[in-house]
Amino acid sequence: MKMRRRAFTIVAAMLIAGAVAASARAAVAHADEARARRSADAIRAAAAIRADEAARRDAEVRFFEARVAEDPFAAADRARLAGLYLQRARETGDYADYPRAEAAARASLDARGERNAAARVALANALMAQHRFPEARREAERLVAAEPDRASYRGLLGELQMELGDYDAARATFGSLLSERGNLGVAPRLARWLEMIGRTNDARTILYQAGQDAAARGDLPPEQVAWFHLRAGDLELRNGRLDAAEDAFRAGLAVHPEDYRLLGEMAKLAAARGDNAAALALGERAVAQVLDPATLAVMSDAALAAGDRAKSEEYARVMEVSVRRQASALHRGWALFLLDGGRQIDAVAAQAEADLRVRRDVYGWDLLAWARHRQHRDGEALAAMAQALRLGTRDATLLFHAGTIEHALGHEAAAERYLRDALEINPHFHPLRAREARAVLDSIRG
């Protein structure tokens, strides 16, 4: 009798445990479903908000297009229209709006050449977006000559000096702006300069303060506020601080939901964590809005890392179409992507060499160095790499390239130092190249 009661008790306990487990599984499934519904609802709500914003902005564009059509001398209206084209280009990724902004700004300056800084600022920014840096620099120099005490104009000039690789001039310009780090027109440009010369912590401090100041302003468009969070997240991601990068990107998305730039960076973050499925899902949300080449490169690499070569090639083809829609002479992200894949090496090398005749910055030298390495011309690659490293920039990709070139030349001590530093700065700098860096280090040490 006692044994029967004990058996009954055990069976009852098993049934109860099974029921509890089933209930727990159902609860988890229900919670997952609820989260998925909330996420889908949030995406739909964000899409509706963005559609509403876009409709208002497009209505404003049409309004000013109509005004300038009626008045050939309306300089202020043309300057305002140029600014609206720039804002729309940033929000939508529509490259065609940059030439439109340039045309409107030039028309405004034709109507009134003096005391028309708004048009000249718009012109400089439109030219810079088209990678026409020498022309943009001339406009920035005119702005500074007219108003030398305007810190934001000097910041714009410093950015263009930096883009062109005129680092002596950039050093002087940004040196004069250290006391203006609280100016939102200066802060992100100064932060980038400090990062370029290896002062990453100072750059981080400036960017986070700028993000707080932008959020507190109340008069900036959401996409501009989100951009400050994007810049902070970019810096954190470049330096391997993945959780901090995620916090910054999520702060930006809270301000400007479904921002394609932030979604693209979240895809890159997921790839850095080795979550290729999440990288592809986030990338799909981003490219559904804008076929951004950088995001498509992340997706191609993530698909390749996941073992889907056909999907990787598909994303690469779409990336090429997207790049060719842009009028700039050389898209460096696309060029590096080609070199990493061993494609069009000689053509990229020729483009990189031509680009350096105008734009002699460290990333131009890095591109040429990597192209020469892929051509097995490592002596020339090493000389170009010395130019790429001359500022002391703490960039894992630059150091990976330097280490790989040194290894190809048999300079194992230098190769080990560069590759070790690259992985210390950012062990996740690329889903595929970081593995290569570790493999070469292992071979050197082994």
Side-chain angles (χ1 to χ4, degrees):
M1 180 68 70
K2 288 182 179 178
M3 290 181 66
R4 283 198 298 273
R5 282 200 299 270
R6 192 179 305 117
F8 176 79
T9 301
I10 293 170
V11 171
M14 291 173 65
L15 290 171
I16 291 169
V20 169
S23 176
R25 286 194 296 271
V28 169
H30 180 72
D32 288 343
E33 184 181 344
R35 277 195 296 272
R37 278 200 304 270
R38 286 197 298 273
S39 178
D41 290 344
I43 291 172
R44 282 193 291 271
I49 291 170
R50 287 179 63 96
D52 200 43
E53 291 173 351
R56 288 198 300 270
R57 181 200 57 230
D58 289 345
E60 192 172 5
V61 167
R62 288 192 297 272
F63 173 76
F64 279 97
E65 284 176 338
R67 283 179 61 123
V68 301
E70 293 173 358
D71 186 351
F73 304 106
D77 286 346
R78 284 173 168 77
R80 174 62 178 153
L81 182 59
L84 287 169
Y85 284 140
L86 287 172
Q87 182 182 342
R88 187 167 69 180
R90 289 190 294 265
E91 290 178 355
T92 66
D94 184 357
Y95 187 85
D97 270 332
Y98 291 122
R100 292 186 188 110
E102 178 191 351
R106 289 192 186 281
S108 177
L109 289 166
D110 287 343
R112 189 174 74 233
E114 300 299 324
R115 297 184 179 276
N116 194 0
R120 202 167 295 284
V121 168
L123 177 58
N125 280 296
L127 291 167
M128 183 162 55
Q130 296 173 76
H131 288 195
R132 291 159 59 187
F133 297 108
E135 295 172 76
R137 178 177 178 168
R138 286 193 289 273
E139 298 305 325
E141 287 170 343
R142 290 185 179 114
L143 286 164
V144 171
E147 296 185 64
D149 294 332
R150 182 70 68 92
S152 60
Y153 296 167
R154 301 205 319 271
L156 174 61
L157 176 59
E159 180 178 9
L160 288 159
Q161 291 165 339
M162 188 165 47
E163 288 287 354
L164 287 164
D166 187 354
Y167 293 127
D168 289 340
R171 193 182 302 276
T173 298
F174 286 116
S176 75
L177 290 169
L178 290 172
S179 62
E180 299 286 348
R181 62 184 62 199
N183 184 317
L184 292 184
V186 171
R189 291 159 171 153
L190 175 60
R192 183 58 180 152
W193 169 250
L194 293 173
E195 188 184 5
M196 289 285 290
I197 61 174
R199 294 173 58 182
T200 305
N201 286 333
D202 291 336
R204 180 179 289 113
T205 300
I206 290 172
L207 284 178
Y208 276 103
Q209 185 60 55
Q212 294 175 17
D213 294 345
R217 279 271 296 265
D219 63 334
L220 296 178
E223 64 87 12
Q224 286 190 25
V225 178
W227 180 81
F228 281 95
H229 294 297
L230 174 76
R231 288 294 304 273
D234 277 343
L235 181 141
E236 301 291 24
L237 187 53
R238 280 194 297 274
N239 287 276
R241 291 162 50 101
L242 304 189
D243 290 343
E246 181 175 3
D247 289 343
F249 295 147
R250 290 197 181 281
L253 287 168
V255 175
H256 200 226
E258 292 300 292
D259 185 305
Y260 78 93
R261 303 162 304 177
L262 286 158
L263 290 174
E265 291 302 308
M266 288 287 282
K268 188 186 297 185
L269 172 64
R273 286 174 166 158
D275 190 346
N276 296 311
L280 292 171
L282 287 160
E284 290 288 357
R285 283 165 60 185
V287 300
Q289 301 176 53
V290 176
L291 291 176
D292 176 52
T295 302
L296 288 161
V298 170
M299 297 170 75
S300 182
D301 287 335
L304 187 60
D308 192 341
R309 184 171 293 276
K311 198 71 173 174
S312 175
E313 289 297 325
E314 181 182 330
Y315 289 128
R317 286 193 295 273
V318 178
M319 181 184 178
E320 182 173 12
V321 171
S322 177
V323 168
R324 295 195 186 288
R325 287 178 179 172
Q326 299 183 10
S328 56
L330 177 64
H331 190 289
R332 288 177 175 174
W334 171 241
L336 279 174
F337 183 82
L338 289 172
L339 292 175
D340 284 343
R343 289 173 284 192
Q344 301 182 35
I345 293 171
D346 291 341
V348 171
Q351 287 180 308
E353 196 168 19
D355 192 47
L356 277 169
R357 296 189 192 110
V358 175
R359 191 180 176 195
R360 302 179 64 80
D361 65 319
V362 297
Y363 290 100
W365 284 108
D366 172 66
L367 180 61
L368 180 62
W370 198 233
R372 292 290 185 243
H373 167 69
R374 291 300 194 186
Q375 291 177 310
H376 306 291
R377 295 161 62 178
D378 287 297
E380 296 172 58
L382 189 63
M385 205 67 230
Q387 292 293 322
L389 297 174
R390 70 187 187 274
L391 287 182
T393 307
R394 301 279 292 167
D395 186 307
T397 299
L398 294 185
L399 295 174
F400 166 70
H401 289 165
T404 303
I405 292 165
E406 296 280 13
H407 177 62
L409 290 166
H411 305 162
E412 302 295 49
E416 182 178 7
R417 182 175 69 253
Y418 282 130
L419 295 174
R420 184 190 64 234
D421 288 352
L423 291 169
E424 284 179 358
I425 292 168
N426 185 1
H428 322 281
F429 68 88
H430 191 280
L432 302 174
R433 305 288 87 78
R435 296 180 197 172
E436 292 179 18
R438 292 187 186 92
V440 173
L441 271 179
D442 288 344
S443 72
I444 293 172
R445 292 166 176 170

